[in-house]
């Protein structure tokens, strides 16, 4: 459908001389006339502007007035002009090719060899010009000062169209297109242009070409090879084509494809518009804003084109673009749904990101649980009746049959037809993953918060009880998950897929118990009803239903093959252990824990054997039982990992292998499995983190970090570590103690599990695998024929766990060709931390030295005081008796200067003592 992509506006009216060529230069128009003059037009300043905000380099949407005329610009009529903005030149083609300096239009060079040229092409990036005259194609190069001839080649006939195609040239000769090698002149044919239309070569901004073939434009690459789904159709063969994304505008002898303009002769592209010239007038085709075009297309039902235009909105309008795309997808979905294209409609509902309640409101027969957190959807447009063929038996029995008089009932019946429900199922399954993941994450967060608070006991009970109706009502994510799973279960049953409904209930689900219970009971889907009770831990209801079914089977044998007394025994086996383990792991003995793991393992091995026999085994497939087994292997500590390894197949169930090897401290084997068998390095890193966190409190940090070095060595030596793992597995499988316990013997394992008296597993104590030596250095050289180093994973590990890795050792084992720049995320924080540690050590050392020096200084001072010398001469006298000291014994006072006889000093001390005593008596 036609919509307004461009607005036509007459820029020049009644030019006095016939227009031969037209070109835009900024906001000006250059008009080459038949009298050889060049007329320069500019926006008429006296008239109001109808353009968007002013841009000095863009054409204005207003009438243009003549500013100046360059007489005798060319001797003959101009064939074409082109402004070379990057070089400030104007190229003109008349009797020859000339170049003029802008903005004065003075001629600076005329290529004499181009006399008689009829077509040319300019490569602005390289400054190369190619042109054709008669049967010759010449190539010139602009070196900044002038033009130098590069090559000249001959062609079979006169060239009618020419364009650069990468490094080569595409030419239209006679009725054929050819690629001319610009180096050696070799020609290679592409295809014919048709019987009527002359060749037309149009370059695209992407480097591809449009080649005209009658009224079709064929897209080819630079070598002339067809581009897939690349063609444009016009009403008639065009004379000229210009490209302005997202449109190709074609000029035909009678019209322009976008806007009908009679007698148009010339078509060129400016910075912001398309310029179309007739003999005496010039028109500007100004693009309608994309937003307005999108609104037009959406209103007219051209949704695909509207979505294409949305992708062209500028990045700064990303939010606006996303909002418009969602609205268009929603309207397109309704349009498709009304016209019976249900699956396509659901794809657009997915893209619109509307809530599932919005889509489910199209299905009145689907009963939804009532919630307070999910808002009601907006009212949807009325839908027309659609085809109701192909309904299943279940649908016909569960839905009310329409009557001719009841038009509303017929409308509802048709709306919930088999096709619509199948489309809904696919939609809900695609939406389900993210919604259920959010609900599960929300539940886990609640348990953690409760565990941190005072209600730790209640948190444990919530964790062991999986009933979703006990969840707080204000859980939006789980309410949405309940709506999704409840609707999906109903759709599966209405389309006759009870096995798929049973599979849904087997896994993690949030089905509303009340709604689904009634639906399953009415449809006699007892196996699915049992799974509904199980998934919500409604064991009393499960056992009551089983008892009822067993009693009925005894009376009328209706369910004898499916529900016998063994069904009750099978239901109870393991459930008691799981409940006890969830309440208190320490209350369960190691043998009982081992028994529970054995039960899960036997079920997984049976499932694996069935899929392997059908050649449908996928290592990334996770049944509910396998998920339970993996969880048990991770969380339970009382089982015997060596014994369980005997029963695992050596070429499958690698994640189970890895967990068991981890329990046995065979870290290198576990990491090799995560990396080389499961191909999930994130699991390997998580494994290292888990071991590190559990050991860092009881072992030196340096020893804990050795595990990361082991992972680093595994990345650096894939062949060696893979071979090491395979040899270890083969040794384990060929052990004499395990020769009678092959992996395929699932029956023997199940028979052990079924014993009333739980016995220890035979051979569990006979096999021992030594602890992994994480300090072992793996050689850097890779084996011949092996895979390359996993360098991306090496850099990722170093950058994310730099603080847990021995930096010096890591650098030692890295390949010599490792670039230092790639190690910046690792070395940067490592060097910074090392520098900080060095500075801190220096400060501590200085403080300790200062602390040690303080008492030493006191001692030195005392020593200096004690080693003072006094010189006694013959003139030295006693300060008490004034007699010479001579050779008598003397004493010196603390000031180091006062000398006395020792006898005088003693007598003076005695006198002081007597005086002090007499004073005390007087008191």
């Amino acid at each position: 459908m036609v919509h307004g992509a461009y607005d036509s506006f007459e820029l020049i009216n009644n030019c006095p001389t016939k227009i031969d060529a037209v070109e835009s230069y900024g906001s000006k128009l250059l008009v080459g006339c038949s009298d050889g003059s060049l007329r320069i037009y500019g926006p008429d300043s006296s008239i109001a502007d109808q353009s968007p905000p002013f841009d000095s380099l863009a054409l204005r949407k207003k009438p243009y007035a003549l500013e100046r005329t360059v007489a005798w610009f060319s001797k003959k009529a101009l064939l074409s002009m082109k402004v070379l903005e990057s070089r400030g030149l104007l190229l003109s083609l008349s009797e020859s090719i000339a170049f003029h300096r802008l903005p004065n239009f003075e001629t600076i060079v005329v290529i004499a060899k181009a006399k008689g040229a009829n077509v040319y092409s300019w490569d602005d990036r390289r400054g190369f010009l190619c042109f054709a005259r008669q049967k010759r194609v010449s190539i010139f190069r602009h070196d900044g000062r002038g033009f130098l001839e590069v090559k000249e080649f001959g062609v079979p006939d006169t060239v009618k169209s020419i364009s650069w195609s990468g490094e080569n040239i595409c030419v239209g000769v006679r009725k054929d297109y050819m690629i001319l090698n610009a180096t050696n002149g070799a020609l290679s044919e592409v295809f014919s242009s048709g019987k009527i239309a002359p060749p037309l070569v149009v370059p695209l901004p992407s480097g591809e070409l449009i080649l005209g073939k009658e009224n079709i434009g064929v897209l080819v690459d630079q070598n002339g090879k067809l581009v897939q789904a690349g063609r444009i159709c016009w009403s008639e063969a065009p004379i000229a084509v210009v490209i302005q994304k997202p449109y190709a505008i074609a000029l035909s002898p009678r019209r322009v494809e976008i806007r009908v303009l009679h007698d148009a002769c010339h078509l060129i592209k400016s910075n912001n518009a398309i310029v179309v010239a007739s003999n005496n007038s010039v028109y500007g085709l100004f693009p309608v804003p994309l937003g307005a075009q999108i609104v037009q297309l959406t209103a007219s039902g051209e949704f695909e084109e509207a979505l294409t235009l949305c992708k062209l909105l500028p990045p700064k309008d990303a939010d606006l673009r996303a909002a418009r795309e969602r609205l268009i997808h929603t309207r397109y979905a309704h349009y498709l749904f009304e016209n019976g294209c249900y699956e396509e409609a659901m794809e657009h509902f997915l893209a619109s990101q509307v809530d599932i309640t919005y889509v489910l409101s199209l299905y009145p027969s689907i009963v939804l649980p009532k919630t307070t957190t999910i808002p009601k959807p907006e009212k949807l447009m009325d839908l027309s009746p659609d085809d109701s063929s192909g309904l299943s038996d279940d649908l016909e029995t569960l839905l009310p049959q329409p009557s001719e008089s009841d038009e509303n009932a017929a409308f509802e019946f048709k709306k919930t037809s088999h096709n619509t429900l199948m489309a809904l199922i696919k939609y809900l399954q695609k939406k389900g993953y993210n919604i259920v993941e959010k609900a599960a994450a929300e539940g886990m967060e609640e348990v953690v918060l409760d565990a941190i608070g005072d209600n730790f006991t209640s948190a444990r009970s919530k964790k062991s009880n999986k009933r979703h109706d006990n969840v707080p009502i204000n859980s939006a994510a789980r309410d949405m998950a309940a709506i999704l799973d409840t609707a999906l279960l109903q759709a599966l049953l209405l389309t006759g897929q009870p096995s798929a409904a049973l599979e849904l209930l087997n896994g993690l689900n949030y089905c509303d118990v009340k709604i689904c219970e009634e639906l399953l009971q009415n449809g006699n889907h007892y196996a699915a009803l049992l799974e509904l009770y199980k998934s919500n831990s409604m064991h009393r209801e499960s056992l009551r239903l089983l008892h009822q079914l067993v009693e009925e089977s005894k009376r009328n044998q209706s369910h004898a093959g499916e529900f016998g007394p063994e069904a009750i025994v099978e239901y109870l086996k393991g459930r008691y252990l799981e409940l006890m383990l969830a309440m208190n792991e320490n209350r369960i003995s190691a043998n009982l824990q081992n028994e529970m793991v054995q039960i899960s393992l036997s079920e997984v091995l049976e499932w694996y054997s069935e899929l392997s026999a059908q050649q449908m085994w996928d290592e990334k497939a996770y049944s509910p039982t396998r998920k339970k087994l993996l969880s048990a292997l991770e969380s339970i500590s009382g089982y015997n990992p060596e014994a369980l390894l005997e029963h695992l197949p050596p070429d499958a169930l690698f994640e189970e292998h890895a967990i068991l090897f981890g329990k046995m401290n065979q870290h290198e084997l576990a990491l090799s499995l995560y990396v080389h068998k499961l191909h999930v390095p994130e699991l390997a890193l998580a494994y290292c983190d888990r071991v590190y966190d559990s050991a860092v409190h009881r072992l030196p940090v340096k020893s804990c970090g050795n595990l990361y070095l082991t992972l680093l060595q595994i990345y650096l030596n894939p062949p060696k570590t893979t071979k090491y793992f395979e040899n270890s597995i083969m040794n384990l499988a060929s052990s004499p103690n395990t020769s009678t316990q092959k992996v395929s013997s699932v029956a023997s394992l199940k028979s052990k599990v079924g014993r009333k008296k739980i016995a220890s597993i035979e051979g569990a104590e006979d096999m021992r695998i030594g602890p992994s030596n994480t300090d072992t250095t793996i050689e850097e050289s890779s084996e011949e024929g092996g895979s390359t180093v996993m360098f991306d994973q090496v850099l990722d590990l170093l950058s994310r766990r730099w603080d847990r890795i021995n930096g010096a050792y890591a650098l030692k084992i890295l390949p010599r060709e490792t670039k230092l720049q790639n190690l910046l995320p690792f070395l940067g924080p490592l060097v910074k931390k090392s520098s900080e540690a060095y500075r801190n050590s220096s400060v501590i050392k200085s403080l300790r030295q200062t602390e040690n020096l303080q008492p030493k200084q006191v001692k030195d001072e005392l020593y200096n005081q004690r080693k003072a010398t006094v010189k006694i001469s013959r003139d030295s006298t006693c300060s008490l008796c004034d007699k010479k000291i001579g050779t008598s014994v003397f004493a010196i006072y603390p000031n180091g200067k006062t000398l006395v006889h020792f006898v005088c000093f003693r007598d003076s001390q005695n006198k002081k003592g007597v005086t002090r005593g007499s004073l005390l008596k007087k008191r």
Side-chain angles (χ1 to χ4, degrees):
M1 184 173 179
V2 177
H3 76 283
Y6 286 86
D7 287 333
S8 175
F9 189 87
E10 190 174 35
L11 303 176
I12 302 174
N13 186 20
N14 295 327
C15 181
T17 312
K18 180 185 175 183
I19 299 174
D20 286 333
V22 65
E23 175 65 314
S24 67
Y25 173 47
S27 62
K28 301 182 184 299
L29 284 174
L30 310 180
V31 178
C33 300
S34 58
D35 60 0
S37 65
L38 179 68
R39 302 169 71 90
I40 297 95
Y41 289 82
D44 191 341
S45 59
S46 63
I47 301 178
D49 201 342
Q50 302 181 28
S51 302
F54 182 75
D55 182 356
S56 60
L57 298 180
L59 291 179
R60 312 307 297 158
K61 194 175 181 181
K62 60 188 301 187
Y64 272 57
L66 180 65
E67 292 185 350
R68 57 179 290 207
T69 302
V70 180
W72 303 106
F73 183 75
S74 63
K75 294 180 180 180
K76 293 184 178 181
L78 282 170
L79 297 178
S80 65
M81 294 184 293
K82 183 176 182 60
V83 171
L84 313 180
E85 294 184 0
S86 63
R87 287 167 169 76
L89 299 175
L90 172 65
L91 183 156
S92 66
L93 173 61
S94 180
E95 62 177 351
S96 183
I97 293 179
F99 288 87
H100 317 269
R101 180 173 288 112
L102 296 173
N104 299 323
F105 302 101
E106 57 178 313
T107 304
I108 59 173
V109 64
V110 176
I111 300 179
K113 202 167 186 177
K115 187 174 183 179
N118 60 323
V119 288
Y120 69 90
S121 179
W122 169 258
D123 185 345
D124 192 66
R125 180 180 62 85
R126 298 184 299 159
F128 273 53
L129 171 71
C130 66
F131 58 86
R133 57 183 180 87
Q134 298 176 355
K135 298 181 181 181
R136 309 294 293 176
V137 173
S138 301
I139 302 174
F140 279 70
R141 178 174 60 87
H142 184 237
D143 62 356
R145 294 172 296 179
F147 287 85
L148 304 176
E149 184 176 0
V150 178
K151 296 278 186 178
E152 185 177 68
F153 303 107
V155 289
D157 205 338
T158 302
V159 177
K160 298 180 180 179
S161 186
I162 190 170
S163 174
W164 283 101
S165 178
E167 305 294 327
N168 299 322
I169 302 171
C170 182
V171 294
V173 180
R174 299 192 189 99
K175 299 291 184 179
D176 298 309
Y177 295 105
M178 300 179 180
I179 298 295
L180 173 66
N181 189 310
T183 303
N184 55 25
L187 287 169
S188 57
E189 293 188 2
V190 181
F191 54 76
S192 172
S193 65
K195 298 180 180 180
I196 302 175
L200 175 64
V201 184
V202 181
L204 295 176
S206 62
E208 298 169 340
L209 299 172
I210 295 179
L211 304 183
K213 187 175 179 65
E214 302 295 0
N215 66 326
I216 298 174
V218 182
L219 271 67
V220 298
D221 61 16
Q222 295 181 356
N223 298 316
K225 304 297 182 182
L226 292 177
V227 177
Q228 186 177 7
R231 62 173 48 198
I232 304 172
C233 295
W234 290 290
S235 59
E236 55 184 320
I239 300 172
V241 175
V242 296
I243 305 299
Q244 188 177 51
K245 283 190 173 182
Y247 300 109
I249 298 91
L251 173 66
S252 65
R254 293 180 297 171
R255 62 174 60 88
V256 175
E257 286 292 312
I258 294 177
R259 182 77 65 184
V260 178
L261 297 172
H262 295 287
D263 300 323
C265 302
H266 310 283
L267 180 71
I268 61 109
K269 174 186 174 183
S270 71
N271 289 337
N272 66 318
I274 303 298
V275 179
V276 183
S278 63
N279 287 336
N280 300 100
S281 302
V282 178
Y283 295 84
L285 299 182
F286 294 90
V288 174
L290 286 177
Q293 294 187 51
I294 292 169
V295 172
Q296 291 180 35
L297 289 169
T298 305
S300 60
E302 299 293 327
F303 302 107
E304 293 288 354
E305 291 188 27
L307 291 171
T308 301
L309 290 187
C310 282
K311 294 179 172 58
L312 299 177
L313 289 172
K316 64 179 181 180
D317 297 332
D319 294 338
L320 175 63
R321 178 177 66 184
R324 286 186 173 176
E325 285 180 338
R326 287 195 294 268
L327 177 61
I328 295 170
H329 279 298
T330 304
R331 292 189 177 181
Y332 196 11
H334 282 298
Y335 172 81
L336 292 169
F337 196 91
E338 290 176 359
N339 289 276
C341 302
Y342 306 117
E343 291 194 13
E344 294 86 345
M346 294 303 158
E347 290 296 328
H348 286 280
F349 275 129
L350 279 172
S352 68
Q353 301 178 11
V354 296
D355 286 340
I356 58 173
T357 54
Y358 189 90
V359 179
L360 289 172
S361 61
L362 294 169
Y363 298 84
S365 298
I366 302 293
V367 182
L368 302 181
K370 297 180 180 179
T371 66
T372 59
T373 60
I374 306 299
K376 292 184 179 180
E378 299 177 3
K379 185 178 180 181
L380 302 177
M381 62 178 67
D382 293 333
L383 302 178
S384 59
D386 48 54
D387 184 20
S388 60
S389 60
L391 294 178
S392 67
D393 293 337
D394 282 349
L395 182 61
E396 294 178 354
T397 57
L398 291 175
L399 293 177
Q401 296 296 318
S403 62
E404 294 180 359
S405 59
D406 192 355
E407 294 182 359
N408 291 332
F411 178 71
E412 298 298 334
F413 178 78
K414 290 178 180 293
K415 195 184 297 182
T416 53
S417 65
H418 184 271
N419 292 338
T420 62
L421 288 171
M422 290 300 296
L424 177 65
I425 289 171
K426 294 180 179 180
Y427 167 79
L428 294 175
Q429 288 173 339
K430 291 178 180 179
K431 293 283 288 187
Y433 179 77
N434 290 332
I435 293 178
V436 173
E437 282 290 313
K438 289 180 181 178
E442 191 177 74
M444 182 60 67
E445 181 180 357
E446 181 182 285
V447 170
V448 172
L449 291 176
D450 286 346
I452 295 175
D454 297 331
N455 300 326
F456 180 78
T457 304
S458 64
R460 286 299 298 250
S461 64
K462 282 184 182 179
K463 188 174 181 180
S464 62
N465 189 354
K466 195 187 167 187
R467 292 196 62 170
H468 305 304
D469 52 351
N470 290 338
V471 172
I473 297 178
N474 61 353
S475 170
R478 278 172 285 184
D479 281 348
M480 188 63 74
I483 291 174
L484 185 144
D485 283 343
T486 304
L488 180 57
L489 182 68
Q490 294 177 71
L492 290 171
L493 294 176
L494 290 172
T495 53
Q497 302 182 67
S499 59
L502 180 61
E503 184 179 355
L504 170 66
L505 293 169
N506 273 332
L508 176 64
N509 69 86
Y510 292 84
C511 290
D512 183 271
V513 175
K514 184 177 179 180
I515 296 174
C516 297
E517 183 181 28
E518 181 179 356
L519 184 66
L520 294 171
Q521 285 177 347
N522 294 338
N524 296 329
H525 301 292
Y526 297 116
L529 183 58
L530 278 174
E531 286 301 325
L532 176 68
Y533 289 148
K534 287 180 185 179
S535 63
N536 289 275
S537 298
M538 300 169 66
H539 303 302
R540 186 181 300 277
E541 290 81 356
S542 297
L543 293 172
R544 185 183 295 119
L545 176 61
L546 279 172
H547 179 71
Q548 175 185 341
L549 294 174
V550 170
E551 292 299 322
E552 289 182 3
S553 67
K554 290 180 181 178
R555 289 195 300 268
N556 52 26
Q557 302 294 317
S558 60
H559 304 286
E562 186 177 0
F563 300 105
E566 297 81 6
I568 298 179
V569 176
E570 184 67 24
Y571 182 87
L572 291 173
K573 186 178 68 175
R575 296 287 178 182
Y576 173 77
L577 294 178
E578 292 177 14
L579 181 61
M580 294 294 292
L581 190 66
M583 294 176 60
N584 190 349
E585 181 179 344
N586 297 327
R587 292 178 58 184
I588 304 297
S589 66
N591 285 338
L592 287 176
Q593 294 184 30
N594 219 347
E595 179 75 3
M596 193 182 79
V597 174
Q598 292 271 10
I599 292 172
S600 299
L601 178 60
S602 65
E603 295 176 358
V604 171
L605 289 176
E606 185 175 4
W607 171 64
Y608 161 73
S609 299
E610 292 175 358
L611 293 181
S612 297
Q614 302 171 12
Q615 296 183 349
M616 296 175 58
W617 170 249
D618 182 5
E619 191 62 37
K620 295 182 179 179
Y622 292 93
S623 66
T625 306
R626 189 184 183 193
K627 292 179 181 178
K628 184 170 67 174
L629 173 63
L630 291 171
S631 176
L633 292 177
E634 283 280 7
S635 58
I636 297 176
S637 58
Y639 63 86
N640 189 331
E642 293 94 334
L644 294 180
L645 272 174
E646 300 175 7
H647 299 283
L648 292 179
D651 56 348
L653 299 175
F654 295 120
E655 191 164 353
E656 288 81 351
H657 275 100
I659 295 175
L660 293 175
F661 282 133
K663 293 288 184 179
M664 298 161 56
N665 291 329
Q666 294 289 321
H667 303 307
E668 189 172 349
L669 286 174
L671 293 175
S672 298
L673 280 169
Y674 285 128
V675 174
H676 299 309
K677 293 298 183 181
L678 294 173
H679 306 290
V680 187
E682 283 296 328
L683 288 179
L685 182 59
Y687 177 88
C688 293
D689 293 338
R690 205 160 50 243
V691 176
Y692 181 92
D693 294 336
S694 63
V696 73
H697 300 295
R698 50 189 175 83
L699 294 175
V701 176
K702 183 177 180 181
S703 299
C704 298
N706 287 341
L707 192 57
Y708 294 98
L709 290 176
T710 301
L711 179 58
L712 184 65
Q713 293 164 341
I714 290 173
Y715 288 151
L716 291 173
N717 300 271
K720 189 164 186 177
T721 51
T722 303
K723 186 175 181 180
Y724 171 56
F725 160 73
E726 292 174 350
N727 291 338
S728 301
I729 292 294
M730 294 303 298
N731 292 336
L732 181 64
S734 60
S735 173
N737 294 325
T738 61
S739 59
T740 60
Q741 299 181 6
K742 299 296 182 183
V743 178
S744 60
S745 60
V746 180
S748 64
L749 181 60
K750 295 184 68 174
S751 64
K752 273 187 200 175
V753 172
R755 295 175 186 170
K756 293 183 179 179
K757 183 177 180 181
I758 299 175
S760 61
I761 298 177
E762 299 177 3
E765 300 298 328
D766 298 335
M767 185 187 66
R768 289 290 183 267
I769 298 179
S772 174
N773 183 5
T774 58
D775 293 330
T776 303
T777 302
I778 300 178
E779 298 175 1
E780 296 181 16
S781 59
S782 60
E783 296 183 5
E784 184 178 357
S787 57
T788 58
V789 172
M790 303 172 67
F791 202 68
D792 292 338
Q793 287 75 14
V794 169
L795 297 177
D796 181 69
L797 174 61
L798 292 175
S799 62
R800 294 173 64 180
R801 296 296 182 269
W802 60 268
D803 55 333
R804 299 183 177 186
I805 296 176
N806 186 322
Y809 186 78
L811 292 174
K812 180 180 178 182
I813 63 175
L814 285 176
R816 295 180 180 273
E817 61 271 15
T818 305
K819 295 182 179 180
L820 186 60
Q821 182 180 1
N822 295 334
L823 295 176
L824 287 179
F826 167 61
L827 293 177
L830 183 63
V831 172
K832 182 178 179 181
K833 183 179 179 181
S834 301
S835 301
E836 291 177 353
Y838 178 78
R839 287 198 303 270
N840 293 339
S841 300
S842 300
V843 171
I844 293 173
K845 182 179 179 182
S846 300
L847 290 174
R848 287 180 177 174
Q849 287 179 346
T850 303
E851 184 181 2
N852 293 332
L853 283 176
Q854 286 179 350
K856 186 175 184 301
Q857 290 175 349
V858 175
K859 292 178 181 179
D860 291 344
E861 182 66 24
L862 177 61
Y863 178 75
N864 292 331
Q865 294 296 330
R866 287 181 173 178
K867 74 175 184 178
T869 58
V870 179
K871 186 176 181 180
I872 306 297
S873 65
R874 67 177 66 173
D875 297 327
S876 300
T877 59
C878 176
S879 298
L880 293 176
C881 66
D882 293 330
K883 295 181 179 179
K884 291 184 178 182
I885 297 296
T887 58
S888 302
V889 179
F890 63 92
I892 184 171
Y893 280 87
N895 60 12
K897 297 179 180 179
T898 305
L899 294 172
V900 295
H901 289 107
F902 180 74
V903 175
C904 297
F905 172 73
R906 187 178 55 189
D907 292 342
S908 65
Q909 293 297 316
N910 291 336
K911 288 179 180 180
K912 288 180 181 179
V914 172
T915 304
R916 187 180 298 112
S918 60
L919 289 173
L920 288 173
K921 288 180 180 180
K922 288 180 180 181
R923 289 180 182 176

